[in-house]
Amino acid sequence: MARVQTFSTIFLGIFLEAAPFLLLGALVAGLIEGFVDPGLAARVLPRRAVPAAPAGSLPGFVFPGCECGGGPVTRRLYRKGLPLPVGIGFLLAAPVVNPVVLFSTYAAFGWGPVLWGRLLFTIVIAAVVAALFGLAQPAEVLRPTAVMTTAASSHPAHPERPWWQRVPAALTTAADDFLDMARYLIIGSLLAAAMQTLVPQTTLLAIGSGPVVSVAVLMALAFVLSVCSTVDAFLALSFVRTFTTGSILAFLVFGPMVDIKSSLMFLGVFRPRVVVYLIVLPATLALLFGLIVNLNLGW
Amino acid sequence: MSVPHARSVKALFFLALAFFFARHFLSGTLFYYIGRRFAWLVPLAAVGCLLMALGVLFHRPEPHDHGEDDGHRHGYTLTWMGLALVVVPLLLGWLIPPRPLDSAALSTREIGLTAPDRVATGPIRPLSLGPREKNILDWLAAFAQNPDPQAFVGQEAHVVGFVYRDERFETETSFMVTRFAITCCVADATAVGLLVRWPQAGELATDTWVEVRGRFALGVFQGQSLPVLVAESVTPVEPPAQPYLYY
């Protein structure tokens, strides 16, 4: 019974700390969905491959949200003629490079190497992967449905409706987003709370202090848990005392780019062959950065 | 299988979630779970949930359908499984009475007799605090700054914490006065404590909150010499409104 109490306290602790951020992210995403025309990004972004690759990581500031919202937005952007590398940079970076996620990462870790490392590594990995796609110029990247233009896709977001009807629509989008993402947060928090309640810290330390193993383990966990990037920092807190800094950074950088949820979304936009690269390239780079951090002591 | 009357069920869920946030904030039990810094977000989240409940109720879906793949996100279909998952926090909050972390949480972790790294390298609160103002974390920070335990002998201390004991020390005449310290929320909690000598230690129930008044003497614990608080009085007290220390 005492353990149930501890489990419940830790689980609700993560949930109460994270849920307001999830709500904030969902509300911002819902309002943008309702009020901002995604053609905006297609118009302002550069079109040539080399400047486009890093630029693709920036619209997260206009279209914040987590990995859940990226797919549909990217698909709309491609229909508006967005170059391939820009869309890839956006898909990989936008879940981290946006105000809501930076705010929640700050809430969990404060100013410090985790916050800055997360931002920097995400931009670098997104830019490198995007540039590789730009230079390789692979043929037949997108799924046919992703480029098909329909009459509906030229609509901006519901222009015909007055604002007082768009607000409930935006709130409903936000509510649906929250219900969708809260499932992953809750599964992740249940697991984190169970781990803290049942597994001795000495066992966790044995796994978490290995410079290579720790990175691989937390990356695998990030992939499986698929927790939204707005709240994954709070789950990472469960590992701060037992896992290496490099592995925590890899968790926070790789998870938002590639997890079960985003892989399924990639399959909705790109051909399967391309999806393999979109998983393998960020994984390799995140592992590399995690190792660099772990082996360069002083962090 | 999708849930019938999904719109009303969703609205009801967000109302319940708003109530859940508001109740923990107003009753103060919020501080059993998260730190002070971002507690203000919780009442805002309650307001956000109310707005979303209203939005869901007043939303009229568009008459014309956009088609399968127009790039808009489509409404999330609430399934029984999805509903069961999102009500877990509400159910746990309702079925299990809110209590701060206690000694049960120490079954998987060691209790720290030294300050956490970040406190040891740079104390969070000034070391110049008077002996009656210093909490357990402040004392551990002071110990970290001055490695000579002899320097603290005779200093007066008043600290509040809960009683903890284990097989590593003589439980009839000593116990540990303990607090959990957090930076963000209970997920990163670490336990810190001072060793206390008290002839009637055996009569104190584990997890009782006590105020300990006494002076430090030189003690030895697991081969290490360290300051030990020799109690002059140990008084049971109400658990503090903020059960955790922050760093």
Side-chain angles (χ1 to χ4, degrees), chain B residues 11-238:
Chain B
L12 201 63
F13 167 77
F14 281 102
L15 277 180
L17 193 60
F19 179 74
F20 170 82
F21 286 140
R23 196 188 55 149
H24 279 302
F25 183 74
L26 294 174
S27 68
T29 49
L30 186 61
F31 294 118
Y32 295 0
Y33 303 103
I34 71 173
R36 270 176 306 200
R37 259 189 324 154
F38 291 97
W40 53 273
L41 277 170
V42 171
L44 287 186
V47 174
C49 285
L50 276 181
L51 287 177
M52 273 151 74
L54 290 175
V56 169
L57 281 179
F58 286 107
H59 176 57
R60 291 281 165 269
E62 281 170 83
H64 66 280
D65 191 61
H66 263 326
E68 194 36 30
D69 195 32
D70 64 346
H72 277 288
R73 271 177 290 170
H74 290 273
Y76 161 69
T77 313
L78 189 64
T79 60
W80 286 109
M81 187 63 195
L83 185 63
L85 269 175
V86 293
V87 298
V88 166
L90 304 180
L91 281 180
L92 276 182
W94 176 54
L95 292 174
I96 298 175
R99 283 241 316 264
L101 288 182
D102 57 20
S103 61
L106 291 167
S107 60
T108 56
R109 61 191 102 197
E110 286 255 306
I111 188 165
L113 283 160
T114 54
D117 288 348
R118 243 183 54 209
V119 180
T121 48
I124 304 303
R125 305 206 307 164
L127 288 172
S128 56
L129 282 174
R132 288 156 191 264
E133 279 81 50
K134 278 200 176 86
N135 64 35
I136 294 171
L137 207 53
D138 296 327
W139 280 113
L140 293 182
F143 298 165
Q145 295 297 309
N146 187 347
D148 178 17
Q150 195 75 51
F152 296 92
V153 170
Q155 285 195 28
E156 193 186 5
H158 290 190
V159 294
V160 173
F162 63 86
V163 173
Y164 172 77
R165 65 187 103 225
D166 64 28
E167 66 283 356
R168 292 178 300 172
F169 49 89
E170 181 50 62
T171 50
E172 288 308 306
T173 56
S174 56
F175 68 95
M176 244 177 187
V177 58
T178 310
R179 292 290 279 269
F180 281 95
I182 68 176
T183 55
C184 179
C185 65
V186 287
D188 63 64
T190 183
V192 291
L194 294 174
L195 206 52
V196 181
R197 267 193 220 138
W198 176 242
Q200 289 101 55
E203 294 160 23
L204 292 168
T206 300
D207 288 326
T208 316
W209 282 83
V210 290
E211 186 190 46
V212 181
R213 297 174 175 229
R215 287 174 190 280
F216 286 106
L218 202 57
V220 175
F221 181 70
Q222 294 190 316
Q224 281 235 300
S225 68
L226 78 178
V228 170
L229 191 55
V230 179
E232 285 150 16
S233 74
V234 174
T235 327
V237 291
E238 284 293 304

Side-chain angles (χ1 to χ4, degrees), chain A residues 243-291:
Chain A
F243 276 69
T244 58
T245 306
S247 67
I248 285 171
L249 267 171
F251 179 88
L252 294 175
V253 169
F254 178 65
M257 294 185 179
V258 181
D259 56 30
I260 294 177
K261 223 173 13 161
S262 67
S263 303
L264 293 175
M265 179 199 78
F266 290 160
L267 284 169
V269 182
F270 301 102
R271 288 175 187 273
R273 185 173 49 90
V274 177
V275 174
V276 172
Y277 284 105
L278 278 180
I279 294 173
V280 172
L281 289 174
T284 315
L285 290 168
L287 186 70
L288 187 73
F289 281 130
L291 289 181

Side-chain angles (χ1 to χ4, degrees), chain A residues 17 20 29 35 40-41 58 75 89 121 128 134 138 152 158 167 200-201 206 224 234 237-238 246 270 294 299:
Chain A
E17 188 74 57
F35 290 93
L40 183 69
L58 300 178
R75 210 150 47 190
F121 291 158
V128 168
H158 317 295
V167 169
Q201 277 200 336
V224 174
F234 301 113
L237 283 177
S238 296
F270 301 102
N294 282 347
W299 274 61

Side-chain angles (χ1 to χ4, degrees), chain A residues 204-266:
Chain A
L204 291 174
L205 258 174
I207 305 164
S209 54
V212 186
V213 178
S214 63
V215 179
V217 166
L218 282 200
M219 279 175 60
L221 196 66
F223 182 84
V224 174
L225 287 181
S226 301
V227 173
C228 184
S229 59
T230 46
V231 290
D232 57 357
F234 301 113
L235 286 191
L237 283 177
S238 296
F239 301 102
V240 283
R241 242 167 279 292
T242 41
F243 276 69
T244 58
T245 306
S247 67
I248 285 171
L249 267 171
F251 179 88
L252 294 175
V253 169
F254 178 65
M257 294 185 179
V258 181
D259 56 30
I260 294 177
K261 223 173 13 161
S262 67
S263 303
L264 293 175
M265 179 199 78
F266 290 160

